[in-house]
Amino acid sequence: MASTEIETALHSARALILADLTARDVADAAVVSLVEDAVTHRRWWAEQWPEGTEYVLGLVAQDVQDALLEQYGRWPLCAACAAEEDDPHALSVEPELGPDPHWVCGKRGVVVAPVGELA
């Protein structure tokens, strides 16, 4: 796979994750730095395994989610369940390693949105 295809996948992942962060009002400078760190890490990963470039979006989403958990708390929260319950939980990325990742509510087992299209 050409370097340009890897860069295209990384730039797309950055834009889609930033769209989700913006949709949930958490895209401040510190959080954007976490996204940049995740993209840098996955650049190395994709260069080592170019066949896995189609998995970059889901992996960057998971990396950002993990970094946010360590520094800020769970993200993105399931809006549907949060409106009904006192125990908010984060959405998860599925498939964990696969193309076309989605945000999924694990409690209800439903797809909430493709990564990059949170409301």
Side-chain angles (χ1 to χ4, degrees):
M1 179 161 298
S3 173
T4 56
E5 292 177 47
I6 292 171
E7 287 303 313
T8 299
L10 291 167
H11 288 295
S12 175
R14 177 189 295 114
L16 291 168
I17 299 304
L18 288 173
D20 283 346
L21 290 163
T22 300
R24 296 292 175 98
D25 294 323
V26 293
D28 65 21
V31 172
V32 172
S33 291
L34 295 175
V35 174
E36 293 302 325
D37 291 345
V39 168
T40 297
H41 173 73
R42 290 302 169 181
R43 177 176 287 110
W44 177 87
W45 181 87
E47 289 169 350
Q48 304 308 305
W49 189 42
E51 297 82 18
T53 300
E54 67 182 328
Y55 309 140
V56 165
L57 174 57
L59 292 170
V60 171
Q62 292 173 54
D63 292 346
V64 170
Q65 190 175 39
D66 291 345
L68 282 168
L69 179 60
E70 291 175 16
Q71 296 187 20
Y72 299 99
R74 294 176 282 183
W75 177 86
L77 293 179
C78 180
C81 291
E84 299 172 5
E85 302 173 10
D86 288 336
D87 184 28
H89 61 276
L91 300 173
S92 58
V93 176
E94 292 185 12
E96 287 187 22
L97 184 62
D100 304 318
H102 291 75
W103 294 112
V104 175
C105 171
K107 276 192 170 182
R108 296 180 185 203
V110 298
V111 173
V112 174
V115 172
E117 296 182 26
L118 278 177

